[in-house]
Amino acid sequence: MANGETWISPNQFDYALYHIGNNELHRSSLRAAMLRPGVSLLHEYLHLDLYFQVWEDISEARQREILSELARKSGLSARSASHFVEQANARGIDPYAIDIGIERYVVEASKVGLVHSSGVAQRLRERYRRSQIEAVPFPVRPWGDYDRSIPEKFGIHKNMFVFGAFGFIGEYKCIPLILDAWQNWRGKPANVVLLLAGERQFTINTEFEGVIETGWLDSQTFNALIQRTDCGVQLRKPSLGETSGPAAAFCAHNRPVVLSDTPEMRGIGIGKNARFLNVNAGNEELLALMQALYEGRGDKRAGYIEEFAWSLWAKRVHSCVTGAAMGI
């Protein structure tokens, strides 16, 4: 189900697959999933922001229930979603990362809940023992050739070793931690650079030697830079249980990548080159990981893992939607 000018009832179809994530684009999917049980693919299980964005579409009873749970968890009483966000921001509380089990409205109304991380699947199975939860790896196409001139335009030359953080450059990606580790790397080799590839979402100084910040990128440039990167650094704090496309891309190609040591990321981190970081440990642990991955750089291109193939993803989702055995 996708947003459109004309509402199409989900009851008109033989099968239903709903995509639910933290974006108003999923408004129609959320509405349809509540009306007709189907298979719901959760891009994030903590998709509270979606409910904030479509607040007026939610029944008053559900609004009260959500606000009550938010008050219980945060201590903030509010009249509406916007009022809650306003209060949370004023007190330095992330209003979108409060885990009140918001996913239950979708999970309990679905025949099957699909996620892209085995860690998330296990967490939701423990929460909803009467619901069927399945995990399928996030689909990633095998990398092909790319325009070698694109990295050069950003000052990334042939013999450089590139660490890269991809997607929106937000504080929740632990960018301050990454920059702290970078600045504390004494005796850093001259050929090592740190790439921040994506649109910035908060105020921070990135003007340090060896740091390349790109700003917003089109898909061709984004994909060329991710393929050129020797080691990804895709961290989350807090995590919303989200699917990370860049993290999956690195893992699918067995490219070295540093991920947060959380059930969400461990469930994505298939392959021998994923390393896991306790983001609460400070920059010393991250620095040690980055140095070790640089020293072991000879194994950076170890090949594609077929478990991430789109064809396998489609087969598994199709079998789930049509009621056949998942076989996973």
Side-chain angles (χ1 to χ4, degrees), residues 124-144:
L124 296 187
R125 287 183 192 122
E126 292 170 358
R127 292 185 179 186
Y128 310 103
R129 297 188 182 276
R130 296 183 179 181
S131 298
Q132 182 181 350
I133 308 293
E134 303 289 351
V136 292
F138 185 81
V140 178
R141 289 185 175 87
W143 287 336

Side-chain angles (χ1 to χ4, degrees), residues 246-264:
F250 284 120
C251 291
H253 294 87
N254 242 320
R255 188 68 56 85
V257 60
V258 181
L259 305 174
S260 298
D261 192 3
T262 64
E264 295 91 328

Side-chain angles (χ1 to χ4, degrees), residues 13 18 30 41 49 90 96 108 127 130 136 140 166 172 183 211 213 247 260 279 295 314 323:
F13 303 95
Y18 308 110
L30 181 65
L41 175 57
D49 190 22
Y96 311 107
E108 292 178 347
R127 292 185 179 186
R130 296 183 179 181
V136 292
V140 178
F166 285 79
Y172 65 100
Q183 291 174 266
V211 176
E213 185 178 10
S260 298
V279 295
E295 293 300 326

Side-chain angles (χ1 to χ4, degrees), residues 239-310:
S239 170
L240 305 181
E242 69 268 42
T243 298
S244 172
F250 284 120
C251 291
H253 294 87
N254 242 320
R255 188 68 56 85
V257 60
V258 181
L259 305 174
S260 298
D261 192 3
T262 64
E264 295 91 328
M265 288 297 192
R266 280 200 172 271
I268 293 173
I270 302 169
K272 65 181 181 179
N273 282 324
R275 300 292 183 270
F276 298 95
L277 172 73
N278 176 4
V279 295
N280 297 315
N283 60 44
E284 291 184 5
E285 186 174 332
L286 175 57
L287 177 53
L289 276 174
M290 292 172 69
Q291 290 173 321
L293 288 165
Y294 172 74
E295 293 300 326
R297 59 192 177 277
D299 193 31
K300 70 180 182 181
R301 303 183 190 278
Y304 179 74
I305 300 175
E306 290 294 334
E307 194 167 351
F308 288 90
W310 266 97

Side-chain angles (χ1 to χ4, degrees), residues 84-288:
F84 177 80
V85 171
E86 180 183 336
Q87 288 192 87
N89 287 334
R91 290 163 175 77
I93 299 172
D94 188 331
Y96 311 107
I98 301 171
D99 189 353
I100 61 169
I102 195 71
E103 73 284 349
R104 67 185 180 276
Y105 298 120
V106 171
V107 171
E108 292 178 347
S110 300
K111 290 183 176 179
V112 182
L114 284 177
V115 294
H116 282 137
S117 162
S118 59
V120 171
Q122 182 57 35
R123 174 169 290 177
L124 296 187
R125 287 183 192 122
E126 292 170 358
R127 292 185 179 186
Y128 310 103
R129 297 188 182 276
R130 296 183 179 181
S131 298
Q132 182 181 350
I133 308 293
E134 303 289 351
V136 292
F138 185 81
V140 178
R141 289 185 175 87
W143 287 336
D145 200 10
Y146 63 91
D147 186 345
R148 310 284 168 157
S149 70
I150 291 176
E152 293 279 346
K153 293 176 183 177
F154 291 93
I156 300 172
H157 306 303
K158 182 178 180 180
N159 295 321
M160 287 180 169
F161 186 94
V162 182
F163 288 96
F166 285 79
F168 287 113
I169 303 302
E171 192 168 5
Y172 65 100
K173 295 276 186 73
C174 301
I175 301 302
L177 174 65
I178 296 170
L179 289 171
D180 283 346
W182 183 258
Q183 291 174 266
N184 283 283
W185 189 341
R186 307 305 176 196
K188 183 166 53 257
N191 69 324
V192 178
V193 296
L194 172 62
L195 176 66
L196 304 179
E199 183 179 347
R200 196 199 291 195
Q201 293 184 312
F202 74 119
T203 301
I204 189 172
N205 179 24
T206 62
E207 296 182 2
F208 304 108
E209 185 177 356
V211 176
I212 300 170
E213 185 178 10
T214 67
W216 181 88
L217 298 169
D218 60 59
S219 58
Q220 181 185 13
T221 304
F222 187 91
N223 291 332
L225 290 176
I226 202 169
Q227 289 190 58
R228 173 61 184 84
T229 296
D230 298 290
C231 179
V233 187
Q234 298 297 134
L235 303 175
R236 292 288 192 281
K237 182 187 177 184
S239 170
L240 305 181
E242 69 268 42
T243 298
S244 172
F250 284 120
C251 291
H253 294 87
N254 242 320
R255 188 68 56 85
V257 60
V258 181
L259 305 174
S260 298
D261 192 3
T262 64
E264 295 91 328
M265 288 297 192
R266 280 200 172 271
I268 293 173
I270 302 169
K272 65 181 181 179
N273 282 324
R275 300 292 183 270
F276 298 95
L277 172 73
N278 176 4
V279 295
N280 297 315
N283 60 44
E284 291 184 5
E285 186 174 332
L286 175 57
L287 177 53

